[in-house]
Amino acid sequence: MRCADLRDKRVAVWGFGREGRAALAALARHLPGQPVTLFCSASEAEAARAAFPSVDVRDAAPDAHALAAYHVVVKSPGISAYKPELLDAQRRGTRFTSGSALWFGEHVDARTIAVTGTKGKSTTSALIAHLARFLGVRTALAGNIGMPMLELDDASADLWVIELSSFQTGEAMGVDLGVVTSLYEEHLDWHGTRERYVDDKLKLLSASAQVLVNATQPLLLTRALDHPGLHTFGDASGWHVADGWIRRGDEPVIEASRVAAPGLHNALNACAALAALEIMGLDARAAAPALSTFVPLPHRLQPLGVHDGLDWVNDSISTTPLASLAALETMRGKRTALIVGGHDRGLDWVPFVEAMRMAAPEAIVCQGANGPRIADALEAAGVSGVYRATDLPAAVAAARAALAGQGCVLLSPGAPSFDQFHDYTERGKRFAELAGFQASTASIQGLGIA
């Protein structure tokens, strides 16, 4: 669907986050003078009216009847496509689209790499853009990583690297290369079931002429086997990590330790990026040295520095219990206070609790909406060093007190941020401030076109 397809139709935008604002601005450019309605929260209404004075702002969540009054509703990604009121309006004839779908409709000739995955999609997207720019390719980096594609609606680039969440993969079309970095259980509150999450995530495969998937994940590989343009990374025949080197088949190309983003998982992300460049006809081997100049993304096991005698690590991107466990692995041998908890979407914390029963850090501070549930489970399992906090500021204070000036405070919540924050980025920036650092310390570099 293109913006032109909305001309002379009753159109609404649902959500006033960054995606919603980008959609409103794009509609104003493409459909000047056409009435548009915005559904947003009461707390956002004043800012919305000031920014878009010609828009009819409704400061309440729409029900099915309100949605059914429109031909097309442009919804923000965080609004589940399976909400009952949305499905009801859909049955009555309302069509739902998104800023991402509108961008793809407007840019059918763009050369695109779309990246998704439960973990690794942001770093892989940023790595691809960084390496392509190193080779002199004018490259756009946008999407779920932090810049809606419609913010670059009228810009041009030789290569578009677009990160897509599972909320957005079904909106992609005409993708040259779809990359899937990993596949785990996540976002069950949006998708409803694990099976639907997997199905929605892998809609990117059918939208892409060629696909690149992680060969170390059997389920993912099995689901992609029938694709006629299948490529893999992580296996010995292609780009993979072995004996401390990133290799192309038998050829050692660059030492894994030279990847600026630390850890084996980031070396594997680098393999995905190099493989993607190669598939797109670029010189991956020539780009490999630039892995050492990549600036690691914030909120992903990001060392903030030392303040008040404590090390502070921001892993706000962590939204599953397994991600929290992986983060703790990197702290092995360090005296650590782990902050967990946030929006409760019903994920299973039993494996986390069992792991903590066997080997717990100095302190586990449970905060946010699901904090009490996590704390109850840990205490019932006999785990010591469990603290309770209502919100992130209280959790940081509790972690400081528990460590008494010696050790590392690790924010790896294992849960989304929506109980207290707009997104994980806002949560990570607030954590940086509470730790005593500038919020800008936790900002993503490289967004946009360069």
Side-chain angles (χ1 to χ4, degrees):
M1 178 180 285
R2 302 177 58 207
C3 288
D5 298 328
L6 307 184
R7 185 167 286 116
D8 299 326
K9 291 184 170 60
R10 294 189 300 276
V11 178
V13 172
W14 188 3
F16 192 63
R18 192 165 177 178
E19 288 274 354
R21 294 193 295 273
L24 288 168
L27 292 173
R29 284 194 304 273
H30 289 274
L31 306 172
Q34 179 167 320
V36 174
T37 299
L38 169 68
F39 292 104
C40 65
S41 67
S43 62
E44 296 170 320
E46 184 177 350
R49 292 187 179 104
F52 298 94
S54 64
V55 170
D56 176 19
V57 177
R58 310 284 179 88
D59 56 357
D63 59 15
H65 179 72
L67 293 170
Y70 296 90
H71 294 115
V72 179
V73 174
V74 183
K75 76 172 190 65
S76 294
I79 298 167
S80 174
Y82 305 105
K83 290 177 76 72
E85 57 268 39
L86 186 153
L87 295 173
D88 190 347
Q90 208 168 40
R91 283 190 290 270
R92 300 194 213 180
T94 299
R95 184 170 178 182
F96 289 84
T97 187
S98 69
S100 300
L102 291 174
W103 185 90
F104 278 108
E106 295 288 341
H107 297 81
V108 293
D109 295 325
R111 193 169 179 228
T112 52
I113 301 176
V115 184
T116 196
T118 310
K119 295 300 171 189
K121 59 184 178 294
S122 296
T123 294
T124 300
S125 299
L127 278 166
I128 294 170
H130 174 72
L131 297 177
R133 290 165 178 168
F134 176 77
L135 294 175
V137 179
R138 181 174 169 81
T139 303
L141 176 62
N144 185 66
I145 193 170
M147 176 174 282
M149 290 125 73
L150 281 182
E151 287 191 12
L152 302 173
D153 185 32
D154 55 356
S156 62
D158 296 324
L159 178 66
W160 290 80
V161 182
I162 300 167
E163 183 198 322
L164 297 176
S165 73
S166 58
F167 309 159
Q168 299 168 306
T169 44
E171 300 159 354
M173 57 178 285
V175 175
D176 291 291
L177 175 63
V179 181
V180 187
T181 60
S182 61
L183 197 60
Y184 303 103
E185 179 180 286
E186 196 172 35
H187 298 306
L188 300 191
D189 54 338
W190 196 100
H191 297 275
T193 66
R194 182 184 185 280
E195 291 74 20
R196 187 186 280 164
Y197 167 73
V198 171
D199 288 344
D200 285 344
K201 196 74 163 171
L202 297 184
K203 285 177 180 177
L204 180 60
L205 301 181
S206 59
S208 304
Q210 298 189 86
V211 297
L212 172 65
V213 303
N214 186 346
T216 71
Q217 296 210 313
L219 171 62
L220 175 54
L221 189 57
T222 298
R223 290 290 298 265
L225 277 177
D226 292 336
H227 197 288
L230 175 63
H231 304 267
T232 58
F233 68 94
D235 48 347
S237 62
W239 289 95
H240 68 288
V241 185
D243 302 322
W245 284 79
I246 291 177
R247 298 172 180 266
R248 178 62 173 91
D250 294 332
E251 175 194 355
V253 177
I254 187 171
E255 289 179 293
S257 61
R258 291 183 59 192
V259 180
L264 177 61
H265 63 293
N266 279 319
L268 193 59
N269 291 334
C271 290
L274 292 164
L277 293 181
E278 185 176 271
I279 295 165
M280 297 297 286
L282 299 173
D283 191 341
R285 288 174 179 81
L291 291 170
S292 64
T293 59
F294 175 70
V295 178
L297 300 188
H299 317 298
R300 296 154 179 82
L301 284 172
Q302 178 195 13
L304 295 173
V306 178
H307 198 270
D308 296 335
L310 298 172
D311 288 309
W312 298 84
V313 177
N314 168 24
D315 192 39
S316 182
I317 191 73
S318 160
T319 56
T320 69
L322 292 179
S324 297
L325 287 178
L328 262 183
E329 264 309 294
T330 69
M331 300 292 119
R332 183 175 291 183
K334 296 181 180 178
R335 190 167 183 262
T336 302
L338 170 66
I339 298 175
V340 296
H343 171 67
D344 195 345
R345 59 182 178 192
L347 292 186
D348 183 7
W349 282 81
V350 170
F352 175 87
V353 171
E354 285 301 305
M356 295 303 95
R357 193 169 62 81
M358 301 300 294
E362 180 74 17
I364 306 173
V365 184
C366 305
Q367 61 94 38
N370 67 350
R373 181 165 73 91
I374 301 168
D376 288 346
L378 289 167
E379 290 172 349
V383 177
S384 60
V386 177
Y387 296 76
R388 295 171 184 255
T390 54
D391 55 18
L392 187 59
V396 168
R400 284 183 190 273
L403 292 178
Q406 182 183 359
C408 177
V409 180
L410 168 63
L411 172 69
S412 187
S417 58
F418 310 132
D419 59 328
Q420 301 171 59
F421 303 98
H422 177 69
D423 55 22
Y424 73 84
T425 299
E426 184 182 333
R427 176 170 63 187
K429 289 181 177 180
R430 181 64 178 136
F431 176 70
E433 291 174 336
L434 292 167
F437 301 93
Q438 295 291 322
S440 58
T441 305
S443 297
I444 294 176
Q445 297 186 24
L447 296 178
I449 297 176

